[in-house]
Amino acid sequence: MTSAEESLSLFSGVRGRLSVLFELLKFRLASLIAFSGAMGYCLGAKEVSGVKMVLFIIASIAITGAANIINQILEKDLDKLMKRTMSRPLPSGRISVEQAAAYAIILGVGSLAIFVTAFNLNTALISLLSLILYGFVYTPLKKVGPIAVFVGAFPGAFPPMIGWVAATNHFGLEPGILFAIQFFWQFPHFWAIAWVLDDDYRRAGFKLLPANGLKDSDTTLQIMIYTLFLLPVGWLPYELGMTGINSAFVASIFGILFLAQTFHLMRTCTDKTAKQLMFGSFIYLPIVQIAFLLDKL
């Protein structure tokens, strides 16, 4: 083999390894969570520092990636049973558990170090709690029942609170309201996903749909009830003086549209409608958070 061929082979190997690490990170999911945290940071900060914003996003992606990797390590054998996950790095054997664990430790420790040094200890502690709840509590509960969704809603709703605390080093009603909005949003969002992927989840023994665990009117009623809570909590940032009236109207309009999708699911109980609700949930949260931020500015 010539030196050029050796260099090309080395480059291909490094690129392949980086590709696996990037896939293991679940970058798209991690970046969405970091975006939510960044919105909380901007809402809480009196003056946004570009450098600190970049550090916050990097640390948020890293801590989320660490939690995602822990989840994949614990579910490695279960992921082999589901079509959606069987080609992931761990079940497909493209990386070992030991290597993945080392990667998770590096990401977790690195992110906590950034939170402590660039922001404050409280930010690091909430982030660590989020990682523990997601990786070591929510993950094993997925085989127990829908209680997993309730537990998972806590780390899922922490990002905007973490952002606010990073900016202010202060707990209070404001970060609590940001937490509440994302907490109630978690249920229609995740149950819509669980509805669409129910057959695949059942192959791994996951029991995530509420009520009787079936794709029926009882489940859609639960989805509707949690979505209904978004209407009053969407007004609270305005009532607390965090934002203006415009974002409250935006939150109400999109909350009503989101709620209408749940009524549509109640009427049809189809996978197609559940998928529409899933995409509706992806639209609702960033639009409302951006509206809050623009109204503050």
Side-chain angles (χ1 to χ4, degrees):
M1 182 181 292
T2 65
S3 59
E5 290 173 332
E6 288 177 350
S7 298
L8 182 60
S9 176
L10 178 62
F11 175 76
S12 297
V14 171
R15 186 177 63 177
R17 178 56 61 180
L18 290 176
S19 176
V20 167
L21 295 178
F22 188 78
E23 187 179 345
L24 201 62
L25 182 71
K26 291 189 181 179
F27 180 79
R28 185 171 63 176
L29 172 61
S31 61
L32 288 173
I33 292 172
F35 170 83
S36 181
M39 290 297 102
Y41 179 84
C42 291
L43 284 171
K46 293 181 179 179
E47 187 174 325
V48 177
S49 162
V51 173
K52 282 202 167 187
M53 176 61 73
V54 170
L55 288 173
F56 180 83
I57 290 173
I58 290 172
S60 297
I61 290 174
I63 195 76
T64 305
N68 288 335
I69 294 168
I70 292 169
N71 172 270
Q72 291 174 79
I73 290 173
L74 295 179
E75 293 183 351
K76 176 176 67 72
D77 294 330
L78 299 176
D79 280 346
K80 294 178 181 178
L81 305 175
M82 296 185 287
K83 295 178 181 178
R84 182 179 60 92
T85 57
M86 60 175 56
S87 61
R88 284 178 176 175
L90 281 163
S92 64
R94 287 178 288 143
I95 191 171
S96 69
V97 170
E98 293 76 17
Q99 291 170 328
Y103 185 35
I105 292 170
I106 291 170
L107 290 173
V109 172
S111 62
L112 293 175
I114 293 174
F115 283 137
V116 169
T117 57
F119 301 98
N120 51 69
L121 180 60
N122 286 326
T123 303
L125 291 175
I126 306 173
S127 300
L128 178 60
L129 175 62
S130 180
L131 181 147
I132 292 170
L133 285 176
Y134 184 85
F136 298 106
V137 183
Y138 160 74
T139 296
L141 281 177
K142 287 167 71 177
K143 293 202 70 174
V144 175
I147 184 64
V149 180
F150 178 78
V151 173
F154 283 89
F158 277 150
M161 174 186 279
I162 292 171
W164 182 282
V165 174
T168 66
N169 196 20
H170 171 70
F171 292 98
L173 283 175
E174 295 92 344
I177 293 307
L178 297 178
F179 170 87
I181 292 171
Q182 196 148 318
F183 179 80
F184 288 115
W185 169 84
Q186 293 279 319
F187 294 91
H189 167 71
F190 190 83
W191 280 331
I193 295 173
W195 183 300
V196 173
L197 299 176
D198 186 54
D199 291 340
D200 220 16
Y201 279 154
R202 287 181 181 274
R203 292 189 185 97
F206 294 151
K207 307 166 185 177
L208 300 174
L209 287 174
N212 53 19
L214 301 177
K215 297 192 283 188
D216 60 10
S217 58
D218 289 337
T219 290
T220 59
L221 178 62
Q222 294 282 335
I223 293 172
M224 183 275 290
I225 290 172
Y226 279 97
T227 308
L228 190 61
F229 278 107
L230 290 173
L231 295 179
V233 297
W235 271 87
L236 291 178
Y238 164 68
E239 294 293 338
L240 291 176
M242 297 166 60
T243 61
I245 189 68
N246 293 328
S247 60
F249 278 119
V250 170
S252 294
I253 291 169
F254 279 88
I256 291 169
L257 292 173
F258 195 16
L259 184 63
Q261 286 189 301
T262 69
F263 284 122
H264 186 38
L265 181 60
M266 291 178 75
R267 289 195 302 270
T268 62
C269 289
T270 64
D271 288 2
K272 179 181 178 181
T273 311
K275 187 175 290 186
Q276 291 171 348
L277 178 63
M278 179 182 72
F279 286 117
S281 70
F282 282 122
I283 294 171
Y284 169 85
L285 190 64
I287 285 182
V288 169
Q289 289 178 334
I290 290 172
F292 287 154
L293 180 59
L294 292 177
D295 218 3
K296 178 194 173 185
L297 298 176

